[in-house]
mmCIF file of all heavy atoms in Angstrom:
data_model
loop_
_atom_site.group_PDB
_atom_site.id
_atom_site.type_symbol
_atom_site.label_atom_id
_atom_site.label_comp_id
_atom_site.label_asym_id
_atom_site.label_seq_id
_atom_site.Cartn_x
_atom_site.Cartn_y
_atom_site.Cartn_z
ATOM 1 N N THR A 27 108.410 147.368 91.008
ATOM 2 C CA THR A 27 109.831 147.609 91.242
ATOM 3 C C THR A 27 110.596 146.323 91.514
ATOM 4 O O THR A 27 111.809 146.327 91.541
ATOM 5 C CB THR A 27 110.045 148.557 92.438
ATOM 6 O OG1 THR A 27 109.422 147.990 93.584
ATOM 7 C CG2 THR A 27 109.486 149.926 92.136
ATOM 8 N N TYR A 28 109.897 145.227 91.719
ATOM 9 C CA TYR A 28 110.563 143.955 91.978
ATOM 10 C C TYR A 28 110.866 143.272 90.651
ATOM 11 O O TYR A 28 110.245 143.536 89.635
ATOM 12 C CB TYR A 28 109.713 143.054 92.872
ATOM 13 C CG TYR A 28 108.377 142.714 92.275
ATOM 14 C CD1 TYR A 28 108.218 141.587 91.490
ATOM 15 C CD2 TYR A 28 107.280 143.538 92.469
ATOM 16 C CE1 TYR A 28 107.006 141.273 90.917
ATOM 17 C CE2 TYR A 28 106.057 143.233 91.902
ATOM 18 C CZ TYR A 28 105.929 142.109 91.127
ATOM 19 O OH TYR A 28 104.734 141.809 90.568
ATOM 20 N N ASP A 29 111.822 142.380 90.677
ATOM 21 C CA ASP A 29 112.208 141.664 89.468
ATOM 22 C C ASP A 29 111.612 140.269 89.472
ATOM 23 O O ASP A 29 111.604 139.586 90.489
ATOM 24 C CB ASP A 29 113.734 141.540 89.365
ATOM 25 C CG ASP A 29 114.401 142.876 89.068
ATOM 26 O OD1 ASP A 29 113.755 143.701 88.419
ATOM 27 O OD2 ASP A 29 115.540 143.064 89.501
ATOM 28 N N ASP A 30 111.159 139.846 88.334
ATOM 29 C CA ASP A 30 110.684 138.482 88.159
ATOM 30 C C ASP A 30 111.917 137.594 88.034
ATOM 31 O O ASP A 30 112.741 137.803 87.144
ATOM 32 C CB ASP A 30 109.819 138.393 86.909
ATOM 33 C CG ASP A 30 109.291 137.005 86.648
ATOM 34 O OD1 ASP A 30 109.488 136.117 87.504
ATOM 35 O OD2 ASP A 30 108.680 136.799 85.593
ATOM 36 N N PRO A 31 112.089 136.587 88.903
ATOM 37 C CA PRO A 31 113.300 135.759 88.846
ATOM 38 C C PRO A 31 113.435 134.959 87.556
ATOM 39 O O PRO A 31 114.524 134.547 87.199
ATOM 40 C CB PRO A 31 113.162 134.820 90.048
ATOM 41 C CG PRO A 31 111.728 134.857 90.413
ATOM 42 C CD PRO A 31 111.193 136.184 89.958
ATOM 43 N N ASN A 32 112.353 134.745 86.833
ATOM 44 C CA ASN A 32 112.416 133.995 85.582
ATOM 45 C C ASN A 32 112.519 134.888 84.356
ATOM 46 O O ASN A 32 112.640 134.393 83.242
ATOM 47 C CB ASN A 32 111.175 133.102 85.441
ATOM 48 C CG ASN A 32 111.136 132.030 86.496
ATOM 49 O OD1 ASN A 32 112.156 131.435 86.810
ATOM 50 N ND2 ASN A 32 109.980 131.792 87.052
ATOM 51 N N ALA A 33 112.466 136.188 84.545
ATOM 52 C CA ALA A 33 112.405 137.097 83.399
ATOM 53 C C ALA A 33 113.704 137.123 82.595
ATOM 54 O O ALA A 33 113.662 137.257 81.376
ATOM 55 C CB ALA A 33 112.065 138.497 83.878
ATOM 56 N N ASN A 34 114.845 136.996 83.234
ATOM 57 C CA ASN A 34 116.116 137.170 82.545
ATOM 58 C C ASN A 34 116.884 135.876 82.328
ATOM 59 O O ASN A 34 118.072 135.908 82.038
ATOM 60 C CB ASN A 34 116.994 138.161 83.317
ATOM 61 C CG ASN A 34 116.361 139.534 83.376
ATOM 62 O OD1 ASN A 34 115.737 139.972 82.410
ATOM 63 N ND2 ASN A 34 116.493 140.201 84.495
ATOM 64 N N LYS A 35 116.234 134.744 82.471
ATOM 65 C CA LYS A 35 116.927 133.474 82.274
ATOM 66 C C LYS A 35 117.120 133.209 80.792
ATOM 67 O O LYS A 35 116.250 133.500 79.979
ATOM 68 C CB LYS A 35 116.159 132.330 82.915
ATOM 69 C CG LYS A 35 116.195 132.390 84.423
ATOM 70 C CD LYS A 35 115.668 131.131 85.011
ATOM 71 C CE LYS A 35 115.829 131.201 86.528
ATOM 72 N NZ LYS A 35 115.435 129.957 87.135
ATOM 73 N N ILE A 36 118.266 132.661 80.467
ATOM 74 C CA ILE A 36 118.591 132.336 79.080
ATOM 75 C C ILE A 36 118.755 130.823 78.990
ATOM 76 O O ILE A 36 119.485 130.221 79.773
ATOM 77 C CB ILE A 36 119.889 133.038 78.645
ATOM 78 C CG1 ILE A 36 119.716 134.547 78.758
ATOM 79 C CG2 ILE A 36 120.251 132.634 77.214
ATOM 80 C CD1 ILE A 36 120.998 135.320 78.516
ATOM 81 N N TYR A 37 118.071 130.215 78.048
ATOM 82 C CA TYR A 37 118.116 128.775 77.875
ATOM 83 C C TYR A 37 118.696 128.437 76.507
ATOM 84 O O TYR A 37 118.345 129.069 75.509
ATOM 85 C CB TYR A 37 116.705 128.170 77.967
ATOM 86 C CG TYR A 37 116.005 128.464 79.266
ATOM 87 C CD1 TYR A 37 114.980 129.389 79.328
ATOM 88 C CD2 TYR A 37 116.368 127.802 80.424
ATOM 89 C CE1 TYR A 37 114.332 129.653 80.516
ATOM 90 C CE2 TYR A 37 115.722 128.057 81.621
ATOM 91 C CZ TYR A 37 114.712 128.987 81.659
ATOM 92 O OH TYR A 37 114.077 129.245 82.835
ATOM 93 N N PHE A 38 119.584 127.437 76.471
ATOM 94 C CA PHE A 38 120.126 126.923 75.225
ATOM 95 C C PHE A 38 119.956 125.412 75.222
ATOM 96 O O PHE A 38 120.120 124.756 76.247
ATOM 97 C CB PHE A 38 121.622 127.247 75.084
ATOM 98 C CG PHE A 38 121.890 128.644 74.613
ATOM 99 C CD1 PHE A 38 122.002 129.672 75.515
ATOM 100 C CD2 PHE A 38 122.025 128.908 73.267
ATOM 101 C CE1 PHE A 38 122.249 130.964 75.087
ATOM 102 C CE2 PHE A 38 122.266 130.190 72.826
ATOM 103 C CZ PHE A 38 122.383 131.217 73.740
ATOM 104 N N SER A 39 119.623 124.878 74.073
ATOM 105 C CA SER A 39 119.471 123.439 73.953
ATOM 106 C C SER A 39 119.395 123.049 72.485
ATOM 107 O O SER A 39 119.234 123.899 71.617
ATOM 108 C CB SER A 39 118.209 122.980 74.673
ATOM 109 O OG SER A 39 118.036 121.588 74.517
ATOM 110 N N ASP A 40 119.501 121.747 72.256
ATOM 111 C CA ASP A 40 119.292 121.222 70.908
ATOM 112 C C ASP A 40 117.998 120.420 70.842
ATOM 113 O O ASP A 40 117.722 119.759 69.855
ATOM 114 C CB ASP A 40 120.473 120.367 70.469
ATOM 115 C CG ASP A 40 120.713 119.175 71.383
ATOM 116 O OD1 ASP A 40 120.075 119.098 72.444
ATOM 117 O OD2 ASP A 40 121.542 118.323 71.032
#
Side-chain angles (χ1 to χ4, degrees):
T27 57
Y28 60 91
D29 290 330
D30 180 7
N32 295 319
N34 297 323
K35 290 191 176 185
I36 300 173
Y37 302 106
F38 279 88
S39 178
D40 60 351

